Amino acid sequence: MSFQAYLDNIEAKTGLTPRQFMALARERGLDEPSTKAGQIVEWLKEDYGLGRGHAMALVHVIKNGDRISDKHVGTSGSHRDESDRLWLDGVASRP
């Protein structure tokens, strides 16, 4: 599953876009550089019922924004992404 597919699945499950999760994390002070991934994972598990894999995808977005490694970009593997940029504003608004 691509990184973007993880984010799309999170939106389908929770009704929230990655950008909305970023704002919620900021409101809780969970976007600070010193925040540990485990703190964010626990919040996402408790409040939204997300498993570790989906939560870790959001941890990456909260900590790093829309950039991902180009390691899988343009490959034919199961973890391929079309771009090194993620779409954070929701499936419905994707161009």
Side-chain angles (χ1 to χ4, degrees):
M1 178 182 304
S2 73
F3 202 129
Q4 187 65 58
Y6 265 93
L7 298 180
D8 294 347
N9 285 340
I10 292 165
E11 181 182 356
K13 179 175 180 161
T14 66
L16 297 170
T17 68
R19 194 162 314 278
Q20 288 171 312
F21 275 109
M22 291 171 75
L24 291 169
R26 187 170 33 261
E27 287 173 12
R28 289 166 174 73
L30 294 172
D31 64 337
E32 299 295 324
S34 62
T35 301
K36 302 287 185 198
Q39 294 172 274
I40 299 171
V41 169
E42 189 62 28
W43 162 57
L44 294 170
K45 178 182 175 184
E46 287 179 10
D47 289 8
Y48 300 99
L50 294 180
R52 183 162 180 79
H54 287 97
M56 287 303 293
L58 283 174
V59 167
H60 177 86
V61 168
I62 291 165
K63 295 268 191 188
N64 303 301
D66 68 349
R67 299 271 331 204
I68 60 171
S69 166
D70 62 0
K71 178 179 179 180
H72 298 291
V73 174
T75 67
S76 59
S78 61
H79 295 294
R80 69 185 173 279
D81 277 284
E82 294 180 23
S83 170
D84 66 347
R85 295 278 182 167
L86 299 167
W87 185 255
L88 303 180
D89 295 315
V91 174
S93 67
R94 189 173 298 141

